[in-house]
Amino acid sequence: MIEDIKAEARERMGKSLGALAQNFNKIRTGRAHPHLLDGIRLDYYGADTPLNQMANISADGARTLLVTAWDKTMTPKIEKAVLKSGLGLNPVTAGDVIRIPMPALTQETRKDYIKQAKQEAESARVSVRTARRDALDMLKELLKDKDISEDDERRGHEAVQKITDSFIAEVEKMLAEKESDLLEI
């Protein structure tokens, strides 16, 4: 029973880290990476479709993304979607290929992106702590129902806390990496 609770807590905390990684990918750094466009969705024959399922997205050097639509008629719509995405990108169409140069980050935008990254990391920390709280509540419930002893409950509490500490440390590590990416010129 205790192992099941720990496994469930570990799984929920892992999902929090996965969500944090996805959110960090949406925060623009000075370098071009294809995941930057993951949040862009377009209407494709009546279906709301992610851009990465409609086109090949690749990095062309450190500061340019290349987008090649598989359906060439979608190229103008993709260009408009990138412009409206709120990422501050200005795509340039050359035939069937859309080039998206990454503008250099100013010190002010770097600070804003770092602030956004810290907010995302705090959300992940809260999510991890919520998973911990739920696991501890389950342990208390087992103790109340006399399914486990007080010693087992205390050991389970310590084990869940160790798991939580490791996931919080991973969040801090991911935040430090993102901050160093953002501060890199």
Side-chain angles (χ1 to χ4, degrees):
M1 286 183 274
I2 294 174
E3 289 302 317
D4 294 340
I5 292 171
K6 289 186 333 191
E8 182 181 335
R10 217 179 255 116
E11 180 182 336
R12 286 181 58 194
M13 291 176 190
K15 287 180 181 177
S16 298
L17 285 183
L20 178 64
Q22 276 186 321
N23 291 338
F24 276 176
N25 280 340
K26 293 176 186 173
I27 298 174
R28 185 167 73 81
T29 60
R31 291 189 308 269
H33 59 92
H35 293 295
L36 182 64
L37 304 178
D38 281 354
I40 298 177
R41 301 177 74 82
L42 292 104
D43 180 51
Y44 187 60
Y45 295 108
D48 191 33
T49 310
L51 175 59
N52 59 7
Q53 292 180 9
M54 301 172 56
N56 183 34
I57 304 169
S58 61
D60 181 34
R63 305 206 30 133
T64 307
L65 285 175
L66 287 180
V67 179
T68 309
W70 293 317
D71 180 356
K72 304 303 179 197
T73 61
M74 292 301 293
T75 302
K77 292 180 183 176
I78 291 172
E79 185 178 10
K80 284 180 188 172
V82 171
L83 273 171
K84 293 179 182 177
S85 68
L87 293 171
L89 303 174
N90 294 314
V92 177
T93 304
D96 295 335
V97 177
I98 301 171
R99 291 187 188 288
I100 305 172
M102 296 290 123
L105 295 177
T106 64
Q107 195 62 30
E108 186 177 319
T109 56
R110 288 177 199 276
K111 287 179 184 177
D112 288 344
Y113 286 144
I114 288 173
K115 193 181 297 182
Q116 183 182 353
K118 286 181 179 180
Q119 289 172 346
E120 296 292 347
E122 183 56 31
S123 295
R125 282 189 217 100
V126 168
S127 182
V128 167
R129 289 184 196 123
T130 301
R132 176 191 63 189
R133 186 192 64 222
D134 292 346
L136 296 180
D137 288 347
M138 285 188 256
L139 287 170
K140 287 178 187 172
E141 190 67 33
L142 288 174
L143 178 64
K144 191 174 109 180
D145 294 343
K146 305 228 185 282
D147 290 336
I148 59 173
S149 68
E150 286 184 23
D151 289 341
D152 288 340
E153 191 260 349
R154 189 173 23 81
R155 279 191 288 272
H157 186 287
E158 290 169 0
V160 168
Q161 185 60 46
K162 282 183 183 175
I163 294 168
T164 303
D165 291 343
S166 70
F167 277 93
I168 294 290
E170 185 63 29
V171 168
E172 297 303 325
K173 179 181 162 204
M174 291 170 69
L175 177 60
E177 287 174 5
K178 190 63 177 182
E179 281 182 350
S180 70
D181 277 353
L182 286 166
L183 292 174
E184 192 176 290
I185 297 176

